[in-house]
Amino acid sequence: MSPYLAAWIFWILMFFAIELPAVFNRKSGDTLSELVWGVFAVRGKPFGWQLRRLVLVLGLGWLVAHFLSGGRI
């Protein structure tokens, strides 16, 4: 197993170690989804909401294109 594969596996395990307790504790704002919704102003329209949403859409759009193109983008 390569060091990078081991690191990615560790990263995924740590993600679940953080996310699963956050999902089950019923407290608002502690899951990754809730954090992204807050930072990028997905709910509501605070100051700078349009720019935040644009950054989110461009970032996610690039990520999807990157995966679907096999890394050519």
Side-chain angles (χ1 to χ4, degrees), residues 39-55:
V39 170
F40 292 102
V42 173
R43 297 178 176 166
K45 294 183 179 179
F47 179 76
W49 68 274
Q50 292 169 321
L51 179 60
R52 293 189 219 181
R53 290 182 191 178
L54 177 63
V55 168

Side-chain angles (χ1 to χ4, degrees), residues 1-72:
M1 178 184 309
S2 78
Y4 284 105
L5 178 58
W8 280 111
I9 290 170
F10 178 74
W11 184 89
I12 291 167
L13 292 173
M14 289 305 300
F15 169 80
F16 284 110
I18 296 166
E19 186 73 5
L20 287 177
V23 167
F24 292 111
N25 73 7
R26 305 267 188 211
K27 184 178 168 189
S28 178
D30 52 0
T31 65
L32 179 61
S33 297
E34 293 165 339
L35 179 68
V36 168
W37 296 333
V39 170
F40 292 102
V42 173
R43 297 178 176 166
K45 294 183 179 179
F47 179 76
W49 68 274
Q50 292 169 321
L51 179 60
R52 293 189 219 181
R53 290 182 191 178
L54 177 63
V55 168
L56 177 62
V57 167
L58 291 175
L60 291 175
W62 172 83
L63 184 62
V64 168
H66 177 72
F67 285 146
L68 293 178
S69 72
R72 290 184 296 252

